[in-house]
Amino acid sequence: GEDVEQSLFLSVREGDSSVINCTYTDSSSTYLYWYKQEPGAGLQLLTYIFSNMDMKQDQRLTVLLNKKDKHLSLRIADTQTGDSAIYFCAVPISGGSYIPTFGRGTSLIVHP
Amino acid sequence: DVKVTQSSRYLVKRTGEKVFLECVQDMDHENMFWYRQDPGLGLRLIYFSYDVKMKEKGDIPEGYSVSREKKERFSLILESASTNQTSMYLCASSPRTGPGANVLTFGAGSRLTVL
């Protein structure tokens, strides 16, 4: 299997919560990341979580980390049409590398 | 405040042409990366560089080469473009050390079409 896995699509109604999931095989890093890619643009860092935390909240964003299960999730509360984008989980994989391995990205589609 | 600049947003080339994709960063980052992005496949690392004149192969280096003569500039070269290299190419940079060492700053991307 892949080192970092995400489902490819998520469709939600405006105002609902969105939950994007990510599983990984291993991590060498003290940080795990979520990036956002808006249409026609490059990726931008959205948020991150320190590996000794299990939750981080930042306004409408909540990141949950389950290290035992190697599972990372991103919850977006009150999802807006402007949240429509591709969301990438990024995890530096063990081996001392500073290079993050990206998931395939989850396309979030928000319906009015 | 654009920090990673890719010289061309859109390029159309013919099979067999030599193609240069240029990337410049103004953050004094040591590390620079080239990815290609294809629908359903996500980001795949082509090459990266952790210092001037240094380069390392990523996951899919075949058909590509790179050049890093100056710290701020990292070029991706397609020696003889083929149709299967039609893709979006993303350049990124990151610092070597410190709390941001794993955080990549991306350019806007270069969409290459090879006919």
Side-chain angles (χ1 to χ4, degrees):
Chain A
E2 295 175 9
D3 291 328
V4 181
E5 292 194 9
Q6 299 177 242
S7 55
L8 291 182
F9 298 99
L10 176 65
S11 178
V12 301
R13 198 178 294 267
E14 192 174 18
D16 288 350
S17 292
S18 307
V19 180
I20 301 171
N21 294 302
C22 171
T23 57
Y24 56 95
T25 54
D26 205 352
S27 172
S28 65
S29 176
T30 53
Y31 295 94
L32 298 91
Y33 305 90
W34 285 101
Y35 286 79
K36 177 182 180 181
Q37 184 182 32
E38 295 184 348
L43 280 70
Q44 285 189 305
L45 181 69
L46 183 64
T47 188
Y48 62 91
I49 188 166
F50 193 55
S51 61
N52 71 352
M53 298 169 66
D54 51 19
M55 184 177 85
K56 177 184 176 183
Q57 189 143 5
D58 182 3
Q59 300 182 326
R60 292 191 297 120
L61 304 178
T62 303
V63 180
L64 296 177
L65 174 61
N66 182 327
K67 284 186 71 175
K68 174 176 170 290
D69 292 340
K70 295 184 170 59
H71 183 268
L72 183 69
S73 68
L74 173 69
R75 178 178 181 269
I76 305 172
D78 187 25
T79 311
Q80 303 297 307
T81 54
D83 295 322
S84 294
I86 304 175
Y87 292 82
F88 291 88
C89 168
V91 179
I93 300 297
S94 286
S97 171
Y98 49 81
I99 303 170
T101 295
F102 287 84
R104 293 190 177 192
T106 300
S107 289
L108 174 64
I109 301 162
V110 183
H111 298 286
Chain B
D1 60 340
V2 177
K3 297 177 179 177
V4 178
T5 303
Q6 295 184 229
S7 55
S8 304
R9 287 299 308 272
Y10 301 95
L11 301 95
V12 179
K13 298 291 181 181
R14 295 205 175 274
T15 302
E17 281 193 79
K18 190 168 185 175
V19 181
F20 292 88
L21 299 179
E22 306 285 344
C23 175
V24 176
Q25 52 95 3
D26 63 0
M27 295 167 286
D28 201 34
H29 285 169
E30 290 82 8
N31 305 325
M32 295 190 74
F33 308 83
W34 275 107
Y35 290 87
R36 66 177 280 177
Q37 182 180 16
D38 300 287
L41 297 179
L43 272 67
R44 292 181 290 168
L45 182 63
I46 305 171
Y47 268 97
F48 65 97
S49 168
Y50 53 89
D51 204 347
V52 175
K53 297 192 186 293
M54 306 303 288
K55 61 184 179 184
E56 294 284 343
K57 292 180 181 179
D59 300 318
I60 52 162
E62 296 79 17
Y64 302 95
S65 62
V66 290
S67 172
R68 192 160 181 209
E69 296 297 317
K70 293 185 178 181
K71 188 176 185 180
E72 67 271 18
R73 187 179 298 269
F74 192 35
S75 303
L76 180 69
I77 303 153
L78 287 68
E79 293 288 342
S80 177
S82 62
T83 55
N84 64 11
Q85 292 179 310
T86 292
S87 186
M88 170 71 90
Y89 290 88
L90 294 169
C91 175
S93 69
S94 71
R96 180 180 295 161
T97 58
N102 294 138
V103 178
L104 273 59
T105 301
F106 284 84
S110 298
R111 183 166 294 282
L112 172 66
T113 301
V114 182
L115 302 175

